[in-house]
Amino acid sequence: MRFRQISLVWAAVLALTSSAVLPAYGMAGPNETETGSFYTEQYQGEGSSPVSMEVSYGYEENAKSGRYVPVSVTLNSQSEEPFSGTLRITAMESDYDIYEYDYPLSLAPSGSLEESLDIPVGRADVLYVKLLDSQNRELLRKRLKMNVSLDTAELFVGILSDNPQELDYMEGVGVNYSSVRIKTFEMDTEKMPDNAIGLDLLDVLVITDYDTRRLSGDQVSSVWEWVKGGGTLLIGTGARADDTLFAFRSSLLEEPYAPPAQKAVDMGVEYAVNGPGDSFMNLICTNVTLSGGTEVLSNDEFPVLTSVVKGKGSVGVAAYDFIDIAEFCRVQRSYVDKLFTAFLGENRLNNLSSYLYSGNSSQYWSVQNILNTGDTEKLPDLPIYAVVILGYLAVAGPGLYLFLKRREQRTFYRMAVVGVSLTFTAVVYLMGAKTRFKDTFFNYATILDTTEDYVDEYTSINIRTPYNKAYTISLDPSYDLLPITRSNTYEGTPVPKFTGNEDYKVRVFYGEDETKISVQNASAFDPKYYSLRKRTPNKDKKGLDGDITLFEGKVYGTVTNEYPFPVERVGILMYGKLVAIDELEPGETMKLEGIPVVNYPVNSPFLVSARVTGSYQYPKADIEDPAYMLALSRTNILSFYLDRFSSFYNQEARVVAFGRDKTENRFLAGGEYETYGMSMFTSTIDVKTTKGGKVSRSALMKPPTAVNGQYYADSNSIYGIDPVSLEYSLGNDLEVEELFFEEPSEEFLNSEGLYFTNIFKGSIHFYNHDTGNYDVMSPDKKVYHGSELTPYLSPGNTLTVKYVCDSTSENNWYVTLPMLSVTGRDK
């Protein structure tokens, strides 16, 4: 790209410059009239429309920016003639560009048609739904003025229950100091989508008092895919535990559970009126143990709410049915706040609050980073160009002049200069042939996430053209497509009026054999980002499989490459620990015992990625080195994956790998285009944490509670200017034998070529329950035995630790803490 600009400047110096501009074009629409309803209907043309149209959107006419919004359209033919045309939905993206989504349709005489469409909406403010005839003449229009909260962030909660009205106590409750307000929507079996895109508008799905056997296999699969992408599933059990857990138990439960029984549940001392006993309720409960789960709310004897991380999302299972606490919650609505804040965590709720203002911009910047690395073959050989330029100056200047002077032919100097200039222009043009883009081209990054049953493909693409002209490309229609744009509110740009008559910037046509993207008024090299996703059955059982045990910081077991091709730069990531393998041949099984285990700082996904891909071995950037550029591209895509699709504390190991050869793009439906990019292969493997009758696990699987000071759970770091006290939950089910304080490995500290990581330095204090004081610990002590911990553990197996940073340290505003792990036996 940079070289093309240099070439054009050089050509301009030699008086050879050209440009091509294609003027904008469009078709004017009808005038619009406003009403006080959410939408208005219009008809353009003579006589009556041959088709009537009814439209609804979102969940109960509610929507959110930056999400897929479901739009339901009902068409009824009012003619004895068949009808064919196009359903067009016009939206304004967050960068204020106009996007049109076209769906071809046909109606039999007097027939009807119902379409449920998932429309990506950057600014969920207004949508226009238009019906066009076969000549692209507009017949009908619906204006959808969406109900979008602009003041308070909303938590969209879908409720799947046989008695959803009993959960009305959740509606409107403020969560996390009322920074987020709950908005509930009734779901039913028929409304449950069979693809994850249909759930994109929801933040939480609550299933309680419902038989999940009624869900189809595709519906259950879509829920899991939605959770993996960041959704939150909350399941109530109680007397109907068998029903609500049926569809999900194989992926959640560690062991069979006892039959439901009545138990006294402590709702919290803050709800006691006359004494502590007032806070208890007698409820039918089911004691469920989740595989890799952590307790969110608990009694002294059993967990009330347990959660487990799945991909970027999470699943929570309550011991009771949420309907059984309805009467209590209608009086004590703050319990809903307590429940959702404890389950979702302040970090996720704060992200929802910031999303109200930033929309989908964070994804834009992340995708831009992974698609900015270009093809090194397009880079010019600058030394050669320098020689040519100096040669031209020498020949066209003194060289030619002296040559003609000796021959006494100075009168031909001007003509000779023109000839030399044309010659060197041709040379420069030919030298730039391999660096010049001739047509629309792509950068892409593909993540292939493989499970036993499915392969989920997540592809990000950047489409550009080297000229100021319109272009059209065809994509595989099996992909779901989402434009990725940044919000213009950052620049304070006022939102333009959107009437539905504006000329489009991007038009997407959903055909049977292709999805066509047409862009007009395109500037040269103007990037257009899109996210593509697709799920396909894993018929050949491809992937990275294995049997892994993590115990006291060491890894045991095997990993096997089930792909029919070799993979390299294999990384196994789990609980802040990394195992790196150089390569695996097809079908090869590698034993993990004895391979070094690296502790990494969980707040630095780029550093972790660099360690896996090998880019950390390069002390400085060298864009002319193909090996460095390959490692950098791999680092960027892995860092994106860890940030967008993975959590550092989950019960599964993330296995990532790269192919030796460039994997060709899969998303194009036709056409010869230049493409550059790569694919990364990922799988998840359950991790065993037991060995010799003992259990060894991370104490950070449940984020510690900040007693005082500022703690950032997603990065295990603190604001270290003031002392910070954290309460760690070591598990009420464990007889603690050893506690480990683990620092990131030395290579992550101040190694050359890596970013600086500010590791905690200072004093560590344990709260002593016998004396009521904090006892200072030895700064060099990293392992504590159970007998040493007796005065510091509470009856619920919590440990309160105070961190006091060294006052002489710099940058104490963001300090990475040690990672705690615990070993013991089940009680």
Side-chain angles (χ1 to χ4, degrees):
M1 226 185 296
R2 181 182 302 169
F3 171 64
R4 178 168 179 78
Q5 294 171 352
I6 294 173
S7 299
L8 290 175
V9 172
W10 174 241
V13 173
L14 301 180
L16 289 174
T17 308
S18 64
S19 62
V21 178
L22 186 67
Y25 61 94
M27 181 178 65
N31 294 327
E32 182 181 350
T33 61
E34 298 283 349
T35 71
S37 61
F38 284 127
Y39 53 82
T40 61
E41 180 175 355
Q42 290 206 320
Y43 169 68
Q44 178 179 338
E46 298 181 0
S48 60
S49 170
V51 178
S52 65
M53 180 171 67
E54 295 296 330
V55 183
S56 62
Y57 72 92
Y59 291 122
E60 300 174 13
E61 313 294 339
N62 289 270
K64 275 191 177 185
S65 300
R67 306 280 186 97
Y68 282 92
V69 176
V71 176
S72 299
V73 182
T74 301
L75 301 171
N76 291 290
S77 174
Q78 302 176 143
S79 170
E80 297 300 324
E81 299 293 330
F83 175 83
S84 62
T86 302
L87 189 65
R88 172 172 295 168
I89 300 180
T90 305
M92 178 187 288
E93 270 293 328
S94 58
D95 58 358
Y96 306 154
D97 281 346
I98 304 302
Y99 281 65
E100 293 182 346
Y101 303 93
D102 286 3
Y103 300 84
L105 58 88
S106 59
L107 274 174
S110 302
S112 62
L113 179 66
E114 292 186 4
E115 291 283 353
S116 181
L117 310 171
D118 295 302
I119 306 299
V121 179
R123 286 185 55 82
D125 184 18
V126 175
L127 281 181
Y128 290 90
V129 182
K130 306 171 184 178
L131 181 65
L132 312 179
D133 64 13
S134 58
Q135 304 300 316
N136 278 336
R137 294 174 299 190
E138 185 175 320
L139 300 178
L140 294 172
R141 173 186 296 198
K142 294 280 189 177
R143 178 181 183 272
L144 306 182
K145 176 60 175 159
M146 298 194 176
N147 183 15
V148 180
S149 174
L150 301 178
D151 301 321
T152 304
E154 291 182 324
L155 184 72
F156 278 11
V157 178
I159 295 175
L160 188 60
S161 174
D162 290 337
N163 296 283
Q165 68 281 357
E166 294 296 324
L167 300 181
D168 58 358
Y169 60 83
M170 295 184 181
E171 176 66 26
V173 174
V175 178
N176 192 28
Y177 307 105
S178 295
S179 63
V180 179
R181 184 176 63 243
I182 293 178
K183 191 81 175 176
T184 61
F185 307 102
E186 294 184 9
M187 312 287 288
D188 57 36
T189 307
E190 289 71 28
K191 288 182 181 179
M192 283 293 294
D194 56 6
N195 61 80
I197 297 301
L199 292 168
D200 190 60
L201 200 55
L202 292 180
D203 300 302
V204 180
L205 175 63
V206 176
I207 300 179
T208 192
D209 190 32
Y210 177 83
D211 189 354
T212 55
R213 296 177 182 87
R214 289 149 56 186
L215 297 175
S216 68
D218 288 340
Q219 288 174 322
V220 174
S221 174
S222 70
V223 172
W224 279 126
E225 185 183 358
W226 169 75
V227 169
K228 187 173 69 173
T232 301
L233 175 63
L234 183 57
I235 302 175
T237 58
R240 297 193 66 181
D242 291 345
D243 292 339
T244 57
L245 290 172
F246 181 83
F248 308 99
R249 61 192 307 164
S250 62
S251 301
L252 286 177
L253 301 189
E254 186 173 56
E255 57 189 36
Y257 51 84
Q262 188 176 83
K263 295 185 179 181
V265 178
D266 188 0
M267 310 302 285
V269 293
E270 62 269 35
Y271 303 112
V273 178
N274 300 317
D278 286 357
S279 63
F280 282 81
M281 289 185 64
N282 292 322
L283 299 172
I284 301 296
C285 294
T286 304
N287 191 358
V288 176
T289 302
L290 302 186
S291 177
T294 58
E295 297 177 8
V296 177
L297 297 174
S298 64
N299 279 0
D300 290 338
E301 298 181 357
F302 69 97
V304 175
L305 176 63
T306 308
S307 70
V308 61
V309 175
K310 292 290 185 180
K312 203 63 178 177
S314 59
V315 180
V317 178
Y320 49 68
D321 191 320
F322 291 108
I323 288 180
D324 292 342
I325 63 171
E327 185 176 349
F328 171 82
C329 289
R330 289 191 183 98
V331 177
Q332 304 289 354
R333 286 168 64 84
S334 62
Y335 184 79
V336 179
D337 175 15
K338 174 182 176 180
L339 177 70
F340 278 90
T341 301
F343 177 41
L344 296 174
E346 291 188 9
N347 184 62
R348 182 172 296 185
L349 293 170
N350 289 336
N351 288 341
L352 278 173
S353 300
S354 62
Y355 194 87
L356 175 67
Y357 307 102
S358 62
N360 212 26
S361 293
S362 62
Q363 186 176 4
Y364 175 89
W365 298 117
S366 298
V367 167
Q368 184 185 61
N369 186 49
I370 66 172
L371 297 177
N372 271 352
T373 309
D375 189 350
T376 55
E377 295 180 358
K378 289 290 184 182
L379 294 174
D381 194 337
L382 293 181
I384 294 180
Y385 275 87
V387 170
V388 172
I389 293 173
L390 292 175
Y392 167 74
L393 294 176
V395 172
L400 188 60
Y401 177 79
L402 294 175
F403 176 77
L404 294 176
K405 181 180 179 180
R406 287 181 181 180
R407 293 175 173 269
E408 297 183 354
Q409 296 177 339
R410 287 177 294 178
T411 55
F412 297 103
Y413 179 72
R414 292 186 177 179
M415 293 180 58
V417 167
V418 172
V420 169
S421 297
L422 291 174
T423 301
F424 273 85
T425 298
V427 171
V428 170
Y429 182 83
L430 293 174
M431 289 174 59
K434 75 169 187 174
T435 67
R436 191 174 295 110
F437 292 101
K438 301 179 178 61
D439 200 354
T440 305
F441 62 98
F442 295 82
N443 286 77
Y444 71 91
T446 296
I447 299 170
L448 294 168
D449 193 10
T450 304
T451 65
E452 184 179 356
D453 299 319
Y454 297 98
V455 177
D456 290 319
E457 179 178 340
Y458 305 95
T459 295
S460 300
I461 62 174
N462 182 11
I463 308 175
R464 285 171 288 180
T465 180
Y467 307 109
N468 295 330
K469 71 173 187 179
Y471 61 87
T472 298
I473 57 98
S474 297
L475 302 179
D476 186 332
S478 63
Y479 286 90
D480 294 313
L481 181 145
L482 175 68
I484 302 174
T485 58
R486 68 183 181 93
S487 174
N488 267 348
T489 55
Y490 285 112
E491 289 79 21
T493 307
V495 181
K497 187 177 181 180
F498 182 32
T499 65
N501 299 327
E502 293 82 1
D503 205 6
Y504 74 88
K505 182 64 177 287
V506 178
R507 176 178 289 167
V508 181
F509 177 83
Y510 294 94
E512 184 175 344
D513 300 321
E514 61 181 354
T515 298
K516 289 198 301 185
I517 300 179
S518 301
V519 180
Q520 63 177 5
N521 302 328
S523 301
F525 299 108
D526 182 33
K528 283 294 179 185
Y529 300 107
Y530 302 90
S531 172
L532 308 174
R533 14 184 185 166
K534 178 173 70 170
R535 166 169 282 196
T536 55
N538 188 9
K539 296 180 180 179
D540 298 330
K541 303 301 179 183
K542 298 178 182 178
L544 298 162
D545 199 6
D547 186 337
I548 298 176
T549 297
L550 175 63
F551 189 83
E552 294 187 346
K554 296 181 180 180
V555 178
Y556 307 88
T558 61
V559 63
T560 302
N561 176 21
E562 301 289 359
Y563 288 107
F565 49 82
V567 294
E568 60 185 18
R569 292 297 175 185
V570 181
I572 305 173
L573 300 97
M574 50 196 161
Y575 309 119
K577 300 183 184 300
L578 162 67
V579 174
I581 301 172
D582 288 335
E583 60 183 359
L584 287 173
E585 295 295 331
E588 181 181 0
T589 297
M590 175 76 69
K591 290 185 177 181
L592 302 177
E593 189 170 358
I595 299 179
V597 179
V598 178
N599 294 338
Y600 60 79
V602 298
N603 59 345
S604 301
F606 186 84
L607 294 185
V608 179
S609 303
R611 179 62 178 80
V612 173
T613 63
S615 66
Y616 77 104
Q617 297 173 331
Y618 295 87
K620 61 180 181 179
D622 184 2
I623 62 175
E624 295 184 358
D625 184 352
Y628 167 77
M629 294 302 293
L630 175 62
L632 179 61
S633 297
R634 289 174 170 179
T635 299
N636 286 337
I637 188 174
L638 178 53
S639 179
F640 173 80
Y641 169 76
L642 295 177
D643 184 56
R644 303 289 303 186
F645 295 99
S646 179
S647 298
F648 284 103
Y649 298 120
N650 54 37
Q651 83 286 2
E652 300 166 327
R654 297 278 164 174
V655 187
V656 299
F658 300 88
R660 290 179 183 172
D661 301 322
K662 174 183 171 183
T663 302
E664 294 298 328
N665 61 75
R666 309 158 180 263
F667 50 85
L668 290 173
E672 296 294 330
Y673 299 101
E674 290 188 70
T675 62
Y676 178 80
M678 68 172 49
S679 297
M680 184 179 76
F681 308 96
T682 71
S683 297
T684 57
I685 301 176
D686 289 335
V687 177
K688 300 181 179 67
T689 57
T690 59
K691 188 177 178 66
K694 292 185 179 182
V695 177
S696 177
R697 65 192 181 201
S698 171
L700 297 176
M701 290 184 64
K702 178 182 180 181
T705 302
V707 178
N708 65 272
Q710 289 183 276
Y711 173 71
Y712 311 104
D714 57 332
S715 58
N716 190 37
S717 57
I718 61 172
Y719 180 74
I721 300 299
D722 300 316
V724 176
S725 297
L726 303 179
E727 184 182 62
Y728 293 90
S729 176
L730 307 186
N732 198 30
D733 59 337
L734 202 66
E735 191 71 42
V736 177
E737 295 187 356
E738 285 183 308
L739 179 69
F740 301 86
F741 279 69
E742 300 173 320
E743 303 283 357
S745 298
E746 186 66 28
E747 62 190 87
F748 285 106
L749 302 183
N750 293 314
S751 300
E752 184 180 359
L754 294 179
Y755 296 118
F756 179 76
T757 302
N758 193 20
I759 302 298
F760 172 79
K761 295 178 181 178
S763 59
I764 295 178
H765 308 251
F766 286 180
Y767 179 74
N768 191 318
H769 290 273
D770 294 336
T771 64
N773 298 317
Y774 281 95
D775 296 342
V776 63
M777 300 290 111
S778 172
D780 298 325
K781 191 173 179 62
K782 303 300 180 184
V783 181
Y784 295 87
H785 298 285
S787 57
E788 300 175 271
L789 296 172
T790 301
Y792 306 113
L793 292 179
S794 72
N797 256 12
T798 63
L799 174 71
T800 302
V801 181
K802 181 166 69 174
Y803 298 93
V804 182
C805 289
D806 189 341
S807 59
T808 62
S809 299
E810 298 180 356
N811 299 327
N812 275 350
W813 55 274
Y814 194 66
V815 179
T816 300
L817 294 180
M819 296 173 286
L820 275 64
S821 63
V822 59
T823 299
R825 297 181 183 273
D826 291 330
K827 289 183 178 179

